[in-house]
């Protein structure tokens, strides 16, 4: 408990003066001692990236890595608990997690390892209330939507210069500068639909915009809106827009719009049709004023969106978010390697060799590389940094995940009705010789 308090103030202090090396090292040491290896490794990597000769940090990193290797080496044992035929009559032992568990891992505690929680749960099933319950229905309806507190900013988004410029022109600049808005007589309303293959950073980008805008960004996942009860989803949507109107100027983010704004002709389910109608009404601000309410939406399936949603004043602008180009890939690699223990990484080389991969694919490559270095360290017993060979090996394993999406897109552009919505997509497919 005390530990947690100290850690919290230390974290705050480091956030306030990120360049204070002694302070950051102190935080890292405390984290190592508390068993929070991953977080410690991130700080130590930051320190070592700025000064590789910092031997104190290097030693701490060794310790942190060794500790995380220990807990990784314990994993297979944990996994065996589920499959091993164990008897349920060993006394129950309180499950441990977090730092304390890491301490306990070195103590022999056979009963903890052998107690079969699944079997025990099956035995008491129906006798006692479940440990965790879904939040459906019981929660108060107000305050269901969050004003985002994301630490991300646009600077964390690698590359994507073109997309950032469009976002800036469409609403960031006008929102942050009322004078300019008046000068150009530009009203701040309407919306922008981000679309493109999955994993290319649409949600990530929106979270970065949220970080830029702070309190004036409201994010709503489809799960927050859709409700099984008749009429509740519509009411949720209305509440969302009311909240935005009260907070104007404000950006409302609707992620995975395809689940919400499907073509009315496609929905056999009349409930879904009502939701689309409600969304149209909110966008047209029937009986309300949408000035200063800007809607940002994202989808992997723009061709499933009701065309009525794209009329002027609604989601009237579309923006294609593509797999990252070489410059962007370099940035994405940098972002994902920044907090890991790496050495001698040639980012340009990685970017050259990852053509076609999405941001999510690249994130996965760095995961695989880290896993490889970790396993290697477990085998050899000495911790080592993640190097180019790990990343190149991981790159050979990962294939671009965009294939299916591009095929679907090609069909839409070739055979769908063309109202100019997908011009940008058509251009891209032509340029990449897929049309
Ligand atoms: N430009 C980028 N810079 C940094 N990371 C990125 C970028 N694009 C994608 N990523 C990574 O890929 C992950 C998946 O992206 P996401 O925004 O969920 O894709 P989408 O919403 O388009 O399906 C993100 O969480 C992030 O880690
Ligand atoms: Mg997404």
């Amino acid at each position: 408990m005390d530990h947690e308090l100290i850690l919290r103030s230390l974290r705050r202090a480091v956030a306030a003066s990120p360049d204070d090396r002694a302070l950051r090292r102190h935080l890292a040491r405390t984290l190592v001692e508390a068993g929070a290896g991953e977080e410690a490794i991130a700080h130590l990597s930051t320190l070592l990236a700025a000064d590789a000769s910092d031997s104190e940090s290097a030693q701490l990193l060794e310790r942190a890595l060794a500790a995380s290797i220990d807990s990784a080496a314990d994993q297979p044992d944990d996994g065996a608990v589920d499959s091993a035929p164990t008897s349920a009559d060993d006394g129950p032992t309180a499950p441990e997690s977090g730092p304390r568990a890491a301490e306990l891992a070195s103590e022999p505690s056979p009963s903890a390892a052998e107690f079969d929680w699944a079997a025990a749960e099956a035995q008491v099933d129906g006798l006692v209330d479940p440990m965790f319950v879904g939040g459906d229905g019981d929660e108060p309806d107000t305050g269901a939507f969050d004003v985002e507190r994301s630490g991300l900013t646009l600077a964390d988004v690698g590359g994507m210069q073109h997309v950032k410029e469009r976002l800036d022109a469409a609403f960031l600049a006008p929102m942050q500068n009322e004078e300019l808005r008046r000068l150009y007589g530009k009203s701040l309303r309407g919306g922008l639909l981000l679309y493109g293959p999955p994993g290319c950073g649409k949600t990530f980008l929106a979270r970065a915009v949220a970080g830029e805008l702070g309190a004036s960004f409201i994010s709503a996942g489809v799960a927050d809106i859709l409700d099984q009860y008749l009429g509740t989803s519509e009411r949720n949507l209305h509440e969302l827009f009311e909240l935005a109107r009260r907070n104007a100027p404000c950006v409302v983010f609707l992620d995975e719009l395809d689940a919400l704004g499907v073509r009315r002709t496609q929905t056999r389910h009349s409930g879904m049709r009502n939701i689309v109608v409600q969304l149209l009404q909110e966008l047209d601000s029937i009986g309300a004023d949408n000035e200063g309410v800007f809607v940002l939406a994202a989808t992997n399936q723009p061709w499933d969106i009701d065309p009525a949603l794209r009329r002027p004043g609604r989601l009237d602008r579309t923006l294609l978010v593509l797999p990252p180009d070489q410059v962007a890939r370099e940035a994405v690699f940098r972002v994902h390697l920044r907090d890991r223990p790496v050495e001698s990484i040639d980012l340009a080389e990685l970017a050259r060799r990852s053509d076609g991969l999405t941001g999510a694919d690249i994130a996965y490559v760095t995961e695989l590389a880290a896993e490889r270095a970790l396993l290697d360290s477990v085998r050899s017993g000495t911790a080592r940094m993640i190097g180019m060979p790990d990343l190149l090996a991981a790159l050979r394993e990962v294939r671009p995940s965009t294939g299916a999406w591009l095929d679907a897109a090609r069909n839409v552009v070739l055979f769908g009705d063309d109202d100019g919505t997908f011009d940008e997509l058509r251009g891209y497919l032509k340029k990449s010789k897929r049309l």
Side-chain angles (χ1 to χ4, degrees):
M1 187 65 215
D2 253 354
H3 239 86
E4 205 29 64
L5 274 182
I6 294 172
L7 278 175
R8 218 178 303 155
S9 5
L10 276 175
R11 281 192 198 104
R12 222 176 290 135
V14 169
S17 21
D19 296 330
D20 187 336
R21 297 183 57 86
L23 186 63
R24 192 183 287 274
R25 208 181 298 112
H26 183 53
L27 169 62
R29 183 185 303 283
T30 316
L31 284 165
V32 171
E33 280 157 10
E38 254 182 59
E39 197 186 335
I41 289 172
H43 287 294
L44 293 165
S45 307
T46 307
L47 286 168
L48 287 166
D51 176 10
S53 68
D54 176 352
S55 60
E56 212 180 323
S57 294
Q59 270 169 18
L60 274 173
L61 182 63
E62 282 270 311
R63 264 178 73 188
L65 283 171
S68 55
I69 288 168
D70 281 350
S71 54
D74 287 343
Q75 294 279 305
D77 294 343
D78 292 349
V81 175
D82 298 331
S83 49
T86 48
S87 66
D89 48 22
D90 291 319
T93 311
E96 285 282 350
S97 62
R100 186 76 187 114
E103 272 172 55
L104 285 177
S106 52
E107 295 167 20
S109 55
S111 61
E114 276 158 31
F115 185 70
D116 189 342
W117 284 98
E121 254 167 44
Q123 275 177 19
V124 298
D125 190 18
L127 296 177
V128 293
D129 286 335
M131 235 167 126
F132 304 108
V133 293
D136 42 357
D138 294 337
E139 290 165 347
D141 277 341
T142 46
F145 301 107
D146 291 336
V147 172
E148 278 261 343
R149 299 256 173 272
S150 107
L152 284 178
T153 65
L154 283 181
D156 294 305
V157 179
M160 306 179 91
Q161 207 45 44
H162 166 69
V163 176
K164 286 183 194 169
E165 274 163 21
R166 282 284 299 271
L167 283 174
D168 206 40
F171 62 87
L172 281 175
M175 244 177 109
Q176 285 161 338
N177 198 327
E178 211 190 319
E179 292 271 296
L180 269 183
R181 213 156 70 218
R182 241 182 277 129
L183 188 66
Y184 286 97
K186 188 169 167 5
S187 84
L188 190 67
R189 52 178 302 162
L192 178 70
L193 176 64
L194 300 173
Y195 74 100
C200 292
K202 296 181 294 295
T203 304
F204 192 69
L205 203 63
R207 287 180 52 225
V209 170
E212 298 280 335
L213 292 176
S216 33
F217 188 98
I218 302 173
S219 149
V222 168
D224 298 331
I225 294 172
L226 289 186
D227 190 285
Q228 72 200 86
Y229 295 106
L230 202 66
T232 311
S233 308
E234 288 89 315
R235 212 170 50 232
N236 287 346
L237 250 183
H238 181 64
E239 235 165 59
L240 170 67
F241 276 86
E242 281 294 297
L243 181 65
R245 288 175 195 123
R246 282 197 299 275
N247 285 285
C250 181
V251 172
V252 175
F253 177 52
L254 299 172
D255 205 356
E256 282 160 47
L257 184 72
D258 45 284
L260 209 66
V262 280
R263 284 168 185 266
R264 276 163 296 173
T265 50
Q266 269 178 10
T267 56
R268 257 169 285 136
H269 197 39
S270 73
M272 282 309 287
R273 213 163 13 225
N274 290 343
I275 295 168
V276 183
V277 172
Q278 181 73 33
L279 183 54
L280 288 169
Q281 287 183 358
E282 296 301 338
L283 289 170
D284 290 345
S285 64
I286 305 290
D289 183 8
N290 271 3
E291 178 59 34
V293 175
F294 196 92
V295 181
L296 181 63
T299 181
N300 302 334
Q301 245 97 25
W303 36 81
D304 285 346
I305 305 281
D306 195 315
L309 281 170
R310 294 198 307 261
R311 300 230 179 93
R314 300 171 181 168
L315 293 167
D316 44 13
R317 278 154 279 183
T318 51
L319 181 52
L320 178 58
V321 180
L322 287 169
D325 59 16
Q326 187 165 328
V327 180
R329 288 197 300 277
E330 187 170 330
V332 179
F333 268 110
R334 181 177 296 114
V335 167
H336 287 282
L337 291 173
R338 193 173 50 191
D339 292 336
R340 294 182 199 267
V342 292
E343 68 182 3
S344 318
I345 300 298
D346 181 350
L347 288 172
E349 170 80 5
L350 291 175
R352 255 197 311 281
R353 286 171 179 256
S354 51
D355 189 23
L357 294 191
T358 67
D361 295 338
I362 291 176
Y364 182 52
V365 166
T366 63
E367 286 287 325
L368 279 183
E371 215 172 276
R372 192 171 178 273
L374 189 85
L375 273 180
D376 218 20
S377 303
V378 172
R379 267 189 227 114
S380 66
T382 44
R384 70 164 175 83
M385 308 285 261
I386 302 168
M388 278 302 270
D390 300 313
L391 284 155
L392 293 176
L395 271 175
R396 279 192 292 276
E397 268 180 58
V398 178
R399 296 268 87 76
S401 59
T402 48
W405 191 90
L406 288 169
D407 288 343
R410 188 172 165 273
N411 281 334
V412 169
V413 169
L414 278 179
F415 307 116
D417 33 277
D418 186 8
D419 58 355
T421 310
F422 299 124
D423 283 352
E424 218 183 342
L425 179 59
R426 182 189 298 277
Y428 169 70
L429 292 173
K430 276 218 177 95
K431 218 176 83 194
S432 57
K433 303 207 169 57
R434 285 173 196 275
L435 217 56

PDB file of all heavy atoms in Angstrom, residues 111-128:
ATOM      1  N   SER A 111       0.107 -26.417  -2.814  1.00  0.00           N
ATOM      2  CA  SER A 111      -1.342 -26.440  -2.812  1.00  0.00           C
ATOM      3  C   SER A 111      -1.880 -25.335  -3.707  1.00  0.00           C
ATOM      4  O   SER A 111      -2.897 -25.506  -4.363  1.00  0.00           O
ATOM      5  CB  SER A 111      -1.872 -26.303  -1.392  1.00  0.00           C
ATOM      6  OG  SER A 111      -1.460 -25.061  -0.847  1.00  0.00           O
ATOM      7  N   ALA A 112      -1.184 -24.201  -3.759  1.00  0.00           N
ATOM      8  CA  ALA A 112      -1.636 -23.109  -4.616  1.00  0.00           C
ATOM      9  C   ALA A 112      -1.564 -23.543  -6.069  1.00  0.00           C
ATOM     10  O   ALA A 112      -2.420 -23.230  -6.874  1.00  0.00           O
ATOM     11  CB  ALA A 112      -0.778 -21.874  -4.390  1.00  0.00           C
ATOM     12  N   ALA A 113      -0.504 -24.294  -6.394  1.00  0.00           N
ATOM     13  CA  ALA A 113      -0.326 -24.678  -7.788  1.00  0.00           C
ATOM     14  C   ALA A 113      -1.312 -25.762  -8.202  1.00  0.00           C
ATOM     15  O   ALA A 113      -1.678 -25.866  -9.353  1.00  0.00           O
ATOM     16  CB  ALA A 113       1.106 -25.161  -8.000  1.00  0.00           C
ATOM     17  N   GLU A 114      -1.754 -26.567  -7.238  1.00  0.00           N
ATOM     18  CA  GLU A 114      -2.565 -27.711  -7.613  1.00  0.00           C
ATOM     19  C   GLU A 114      -4.069 -27.506  -7.472  1.00  0.00           C
ATOM     20  O   GLU A 114      -4.856 -28.291  -7.951  1.00  0.00           O
ATOM     21  CB  GLU A 114      -2.146 -28.936  -6.789  1.00  0.00           C
ATOM     22  CG  GLU A 114      -0.950 -29.632  -7.407  1.00  0.00           C
ATOM     23  CD  GLU A 114      -0.201 -30.461  -6.387  1.00  0.00           C
ATOM     24  OE1 GLU A 114      -0.843 -30.967  -5.452  1.00  0.00           O
ATOM     25  OE2 GLU A 114       1.018 -30.580  -6.516  1.00  0.00           O
ATOM     26  N   PHE A 115      -4.446 -26.443  -6.779  1.00  0.00           N
ATOM     27  CA  PHE A 115      -5.875 -26.257  -6.565  1.00  0.00           C
ATOM     28  C   PHE A 115      -6.575 -25.944  -7.879  1.00  0.00           C
ATOM     29  O   PHE A 115      -6.181 -25.047  -8.607  1.00  0.00           O
ATOM     30  CB  PHE A 115      -6.131 -25.128  -5.566  1.00  0.00           C
ATOM     31  CG  PHE A 115      -7.593 -24.980  -5.238  1.00  0.00           C
ATOM     32  CD1 PHE A 115      -8.230 -25.939  -4.487  1.00  0.00           C
ATOM     33  CD2 PHE A 115      -8.320 -23.907  -5.729  1.00  0.00           C
ATOM     34  CE1 PHE A 115      -9.581 -25.814  -4.209  1.00  0.00           C
ATOM     35  CE2 PHE A 115      -9.660 -23.791  -5.454  1.00  0.00           C
ATOM     36  CZ  PHE A 115     -10.297 -24.745  -4.687  1.00  0.00           C
ATOM     37  N   ASP A 116      -7.585 -26.696  -8.186  1.00  0.00           N
ATOM     38  CA  ASP A 116      -8.261 -26.557  -9.476  1.00  0.00           C
ATOM     39  C   ASP A 116      -9.478 -25.642  -9.342  1.00  0.00           C
ATOM     40  O   ASP A 116     -10.549 -26.057  -8.927  1.00  0.00           O
ATOM     41  CB  ASP A 116      -8.681 -27.938  -9.967  1.00  0.00           C
ATOM     42  CG  ASP A 116      -9.179 -27.871 -11.405  1.00  0.00           C
ATOM     43  OD1 ASP A 116      -9.509 -26.754 -11.862  1.00  0.00           O
ATOM     44  OD2 ASP A 116      -9.239 -28.915 -12.046  1.00  0.00           O
ATOM     45  N   TRP A 117      -9.263 -24.365  -9.694  1.00  0.00           N
ATOM     46  CA  TRP A 117     -10.325 -23.374  -9.509  1.00  0.00           C
ATOM     47  C   TRP A 117     -11.515 -23.673 -10.414  1.00  0.00           C
ATOM     48  O   TRP A 117     -12.661 -23.495 -10.020  1.00  0.00           O
ATOM     49  CB  TRP A 117      -9.788 -21.972  -9.800  1.00  0.00           C
ATOM     50  CG  TRP A 117      -8.955 -21.465  -8.681  1.00  0.00           C
ATOM     51  CD1 TRP A 117      -7.595 -21.482  -8.596  1.00  0.00           C
ATOM     52  CD2 TRP A 117      -9.417 -20.899  -7.451  1.00  0.00           C
ATOM     53  NE1 TRP A 117      -7.180 -20.964  -7.390  1.00  0.00           N
ATOM     54  CE2 TRP A 117      -8.285 -20.591  -6.682  1.00  0.00           C
ATOM     55  CE3 TRP A 117     -10.687 -20.640  -6.936  1.00  0.00           C
ATOM     56  CZ2 TRP A 117      -8.380 -20.034  -5.419  1.00  0.00           C
ATOM     57  CZ3 TRP A 117     -10.773 -20.067  -5.679  1.00  0.00           C
ATOM     58  CH2 TRP A 117      -9.620 -19.774  -4.929  1.00  0.00           C
ATOM     59  N   ALA A 118     -11.209 -24.146 -11.609  1.00  0.00           N
ATOM     60  CA  ALA A 118     -12.299 -24.380 -12.556  1.00  0.00           C
ATOM     61  C   ALA A 118     -13.236 -25.460 -12.022  1.00  0.00           C
ATOM     62  O   ALA A 118     -14.458 -25.326 -12.050  1.00  0.00           O
ATOM     63  CB  ALA A 118     -11.729 -24.798 -13.904  1.00  0.00           C
ATOM     64  N   ALA A 119     -12.626 -26.538 -11.489  1.00  0.00           N
ATOM     65  CA  ALA A 119     -13.438 -27.633 -10.962  1.00  0.00           C
ATOM     66  C   ALA A 119     -14.248 -27.161  -9.757  1.00  0.00           C
ATOM     67  O   ALA A 119     -15.434 -27.478  -9.615  1.00  0.00           O
ATOM     68  CB  ALA A 119     -12.542 -28.801 -10.560  1.00  0.00           C
ATOM     69  N   ALA A 120     -13.585 -26.362  -8.912  1.00  0.00           N
ATOM     70  CA  ALA A 120     -14.275 -25.866  -7.716  1.00  0.00           C
ATOM     71  C   ALA A 120     -15.451 -24.981  -8.126  1.00  0.00           C
ATOM     72  O   ALA A 120     -16.543 -25.076  -7.559  1.00  0.00           O
ATOM     73  CB  ALA A 120     -13.303 -25.076  -6.850  1.00  0.00           C
ATOM     74  N   GLU A 121     -15.236 -24.161  -9.130  1.00  0.00           N
ATOM     75  CA  GLU A 121     -16.303 -23.273  -9.575  1.00  0.00           C
ATOM     76  C   GLU A 121     -17.470 -24.072 -10.128  1.00  0.00           C
ATOM     77  O   GLU A 121     -18.630 -23.755  -9.891  1.00  0.00           O
ATOM     78  CB  GLU A 121     -15.777 -22.316 -10.655  1.00  0.00           C
ATOM     79  CG  GLU A 121     -15.599 -20.904 -10.131  1.00  0.00           C
ATOM     80  CD  GLU A 121     -14.808 -20.057 -11.090  1.00  0.00           C
ATOM     81  OE1 GLU A 121     -15.072 -20.117 -12.312  1.00  0.00           O
ATOM     82  OE2 GLU A 121     -13.918 -19.353 -10.626  1.00  0.00           O
ATOM     83  N   ALA A 122     -17.124 -25.159 -10.866  1.00  0.00           N
ATOM     84  CA  ALA A 122     -18.175 -25.999 -11.426  1.00  0.00           C
ATOM     85  C   ALA A 122     -19.007 -26.612 -10.303  1.00  0.00           C
ATOM     86  O   ALA A 122     -20.214 -26.746 -10.407  1.00  0.00           O
ATOM     87  CB  ALA A 122     -17.557 -27.090 -12.296  1.00  0.00           C
ATOM     88  N   GLN A 123     -18.325 -26.959  -9.190  1.00  0.00           N
ATOM     89  CA  GLN A 123     -19.038 -27.577  -8.072  1.00  0.00           C
ATOM     90  C   GLN A 123     -20.039 -26.632  -7.411  1.00  0.00           C
ATOM     91  O   GLN A 123     -21.131 -27.037  -7.033  1.00  0.00           O
ATOM     92  CB  GLN A 123     -18.041 -28.043  -7.006  1.00  0.00           C
ATOM     93  CG  GLN A 123     -17.477 -29.414  -7.311  1.00  0.00           C
ATOM     94  CD  GLN A 123     -16.443 -29.813  -6.270  1.00  0.00           C
ATOM     95  OE1 GLN A 123     -16.409 -29.258  -5.183  1.00  0.00           O
ATOM     96  NE2 GLN A 123     -15.616 -30.767  -6.618  1.00  0.00           N
ATOM     97  N   VAL A 124     -19.618 -25.379  -7.271  1.00  0.00           N
ATOM     98  CA  VAL A 124     -20.506 -24.452  -6.565  1.00  0.00           C
ATOM     99  C   VAL A 124     -21.414 -23.687  -7.530  1.00  0.00           C
ATOM    100  O   VAL A 124     -22.215 -22.874  -7.110  1.00  0.00           O
ATOM    101  CB  VAL A 124     -19.714 -23.425  -5.713  1.00  0.00           C
ATOM    102  CG1 VAL A 124     -18.932 -24.143  -4.650  1.00  0.00           C
ATOM    103  CG2 VAL A 124     -18.834 -22.568  -6.596  1.00  0.00           C
ATOM    104  N   ASP A 125     -21.295 -23.995  -8.799  1.00  0.00           N
ATOM    105  CA  ASP A 125     -22.079 -23.300  -9.822  1.00  0.00           C
ATOM    106  C   ASP A 125     -23.564 -23.338  -9.452  1.00  0.00           C
ATOM    107  O   ASP A 125     -24.128 -24.393  -9.179  1.00  0.00           O
ATOM    108  CB  ASP A 125     -21.853 -23.972 -11.174  1.00  0.00           C
ATOM    109  CG  ASP A 125     -22.438 -23.141 -12.299  1.00  0.00           C
ATOM    110  OD1 ASP A 125     -22.696 -21.933 -12.065  1.00  0.00           O
ATOM    111  OD2 ASP A 125     -22.647 -23.688 -13.375  1.00  0.00           O
ATOM    112  N   GLY A 126     -24.195 -22.192  -9.423  1.00  0.00           N
ATOM    113  CA  GLY A 126     -25.619 -22.165  -9.118  1.00  0.00           C
ATOM    114  C   GLY A 126     -25.907 -22.004  -7.637  1.00  0.00           C
ATOM    115  O   GLY A 126     -26.990 -21.593  -7.244  1.00  0.00           O
ATOM    116  N   LEU A 127     -24.914 -22.310  -6.796  1.00  0.00           N
ATOM    117  CA  LEU A 127     -25.128 -22.183  -5.356  1.00  0.00           C
ATOM    118  C   LEU A 127     -24.832 -20.769  -4.874  1.00  0.00           C
ATOM    119  O   LEU A 127     -25.493 -20.227  -4.005  1.00  0.00           O
ATOM    120  CB  LEU A 127     -24.239 -23.167  -4.582  1.00  0.00           C
ATOM    121  CG  LEU A 127     -24.528 -24.642  -4.840  1.00  0.00           C
ATOM    122  CD1 LEU A 127     -23.548 -25.508  -4.079  1.00  0.00           C
ATOM    123  CD2 LEU A 127     -25.966 -24.964  -4.408  1.00  0.00           C
ATOM    124  N   VAL A 128     -23.775 -20.218  -5.469  1.00  0.00           N
ATOM    125  CA  VAL A 128     -23.422 -18.859  -5.062  1.00  0.00           C
ATOM    126  C   VAL A 128     -23.455 -17.947  -6.279  1.00  0.00           C
ATOM    127  O   VAL A 128     -23.422 -18.416  -7.415  1.00  0.00           O
ATOM    128  CB  VAL A 128     -21.999 -18.810  -4.451  1.00  0.00           C
ATOM    129  CG1 VAL A 128     -21.969 -19.555  -3.147  1.00  0.00           C
ATOM    130  CG2 VAL A 128     -20.985 -19.369  -5.423  1.00  0.00           C
TER     131      VAL A 128
END
